[in-house]
Amino acid sequence: MSVALDELAQSGLQDDTRFSHAYVRYRSGSGYGPRRIAQELRQRGISDEVSSEAFAAQGCDWYEIARTVRMKKFRAMPVSLAERARQTRFVEYRGFDR
């Protein structure tokens, strides 16, 4: 299998950099944050160096994405401490910082 991957890489059909750029674009567009996306890239064997480059190239406004995802899910600002904790857990699960 390694021989096949080497051949694909040499021919330009398999490229970790191109994959990571597309993956960051896809997952951020689906409402996921940088922590979760970086973890998923690590699970797929992409180095932190390559994934950092993909994040930098994407130039996402992570705050805006987190806000949009939260508003889509909950529609309103939290009124109680319990509701705020619930919304915070959801946003953190999606891979965003507080």
Side-chain angles (χ1 to χ4, degrees):
M1 179 143 164
S2 177
V3 174
L5 286 176
D6 291 339
E7 289 176 9
L8 289 172
Q10 286 176 349
S11 65
L13 296 175
Q14 190 278 330
D15 182 19
D16 286 345
T17 303
R18 192 172 65 230
F19 169 76
S20 61
H21 283 259
Y23 195 80
V24 169
R25 186 173 44 254
Y26 167 68
R27 294 299 277 173
S28 64
S30 297
Y32 290 93
R35 290 187 329 184
R36 176 130 178 209
I37 296 169
Q39 177 187 10
E40 291 173 351
L41 286 171
R42 264 186 243 107
Q43 289 173 344
R44 286 163 174 73
I46 305 298
S47 70
D48 290 339
E49 193 175 278
V50 172
S51 64
S52 294
E53 178 186 316
F55 283 114
Q58 187 63 24
C60 292
D61 183 0
W62 296 110
Y63 177 79
E64 184 60 31
I65 294 171
R67 190 182 72 72
T68 302
V69 167
R70 189 190 61 76
M71 291 301 291
K72 182 177 178 183
K73 172 82 173 172
F74 296 106
R75 301 270 186 235
M77 296 298 289
V79 292
S80 69
L81 193 55
E83 181 61 22
R84 180 181 173 133
R86 181 172 168 248
Q87 290 186 20
T88 300
R89 280 191 306 273
F90 171 75
V91 171
E92 287 176 344
Y93 168 77
R94 284 297 193 110
F96 296 99
D97 293 328
R98 284 185 180 189

